Each structure stands twice: as structure tokens, then as C-alpha cells.
Amino acid sequence: MIYITRKERFNAAHKLFRAEWTEQKNLEIFGKCSNPNWHGHNYELFVTVKGEPNKETGFVIDLKFLSKLIKEKVIDKLDHKNINMDVDFMHGRMASTEILAVAIWEQIALPIKSQGCELHCVKLFETENNFVEYFG
Ligand code: NI
């Protein structure tokens, strides 16, 4: 089994808040990420696919296919957008790194499977120090 990873980047705004909580409670729980007037992060996304190399091409997955898929299903929808308001697959969900990693998995897992390999991990850095890994 071989694991291959494509790295992408996007910049996006969000806030973490629950409308039914007071501003004070949101600040206590979510810290700076609860700022009412939004803020942004420079996200880094690592998509890891696993499989056996194709006998003819030597590829686990065609990286042109993978990068186009991630661009169309994920990056174009998130880059320079407001995650809470602009992104269809995040409507009604908390804009946390955890939930975003799961949502990104949902956008790309099936098309990757159609290539005869499997999505192994979505790793998403929100900051240099904080990242999430989702294995499905
Ligand atoms: Ni934040």
C-alpha cells in the first residue's frame, strides 16, 4: 500500500459562535474565534490517498485528477470566502477545523474511490500550531 498526498492552501473567514449563547459565553468557549465581526485563517490542506500503483502508469492516483478535484470541490468554494455564510457544504454546521475536515472528506471521498484507490486522510491546519486529521 502506498500513500500519496496533495497539499493545497486557502484563505477563509469564519467565526465560532452559538446564537443562543451570550457574547460573553461565546468568548469564554471559543476565544478569539468568536469575534462577532469575523476573522480569517490561512488554512493548509493535506489530502492523502492510498492504493496500489497502477501497473501501466505507476500511479496510485493521477495527481492532475486529484488536484482538479480538490480545486473544484473544495478550494474554489472556500478560498477568500466566509465559511459560515458562503460555503454550501458548511451551511448549518459549526465552522470549526474539525467539522470542516469532515465536510471536505465528504466532498471528495467518492470521486477518489472511482479512481480505484481510497481517501486515507484529510489533514487541515488552521494555524501553524493547530491541525486536525480525519480518517473517515
Ligand atoms: Ni478562527
Side-chain angles (χ1 to χ4, degrees):
M1 187 72 75
I2 297 192
Y3 297 75
I4 183 164
T5 300
R6 172 79 188 178
K7 179 182 180 184
E8 300 283 354
R9 298 168 186 82
F10 59 92
N11 310 316
H14 80 156
K15 69 177 166 183
L16 297 177
F17 74 107
R18 298 205 66 88
E20 70 272 26
W21 290 358
T22 63
E23 206 168 302
Q24 185 55 38
K25 180 162 183 190
N26 274 299
L27 184 62
E28 274 169 35
I29 303 295
F30 297 124
K32 283 182 176 175
C33 278
S34 75
N35 178 36
N37 289 331
W38 318 100
H39 65 281
H41 294 283
N42 299 319
Y43 291 90
E44 291 191 333
L45 170 65
F46 295 78
V47 172
T48 301
V49 171
K50 65 181 171 187
E52 297 298 337
N54 179 281
K55 289 203 167 51
E56 289 173 313
T57 63
F59 294 164
V60 170
I61 188 168
D62 182 344
L63 282 173
K64 290 196 299 294
F65 173 91
L66 185 60
S67 64
K68 188 164 177 275
L69 176 71
I70 299 169
K71 184 177 186 306
E72 288 177 1
K73 299 271 189 187
V74 179
I75 304 299
D76 285 352
K77 293 186 173 189
L78 283 162
D79 193 31
H80 289 69
K81 299 286 169 55
N82 179 314
I83 296 170
N84 299 71
M85 299 174 74
D86 299 332
V87 182
D88 55 1
F89 59 76
M90 290 299 288
H91 281 166
R93 307 171 97 167
M94 290 297 289
S96 68
T97 317
E98 292 89 329
I99 303 297
L100 185 54
V102 172
I104 289 170
W105 177 287
E106 291 167 358
Q107 305 313 302
I108 59 176
L110 275 182
I112 287 171
K113 205 161 200 171
S114 78
Q115 299 298 295
C117 46
E118 263 191 85
L119 181 54
H120 173 68
C121 179
V122 168
K123 178 154 82 172
L124 185 60
F125 281 74
E126 187 180 73
T127 69
E128 241 178 291
N129 299 323
N130 298 333
F131 66 90
V132 162
E133 290 170 290
Y134 182 59
F135 296 93

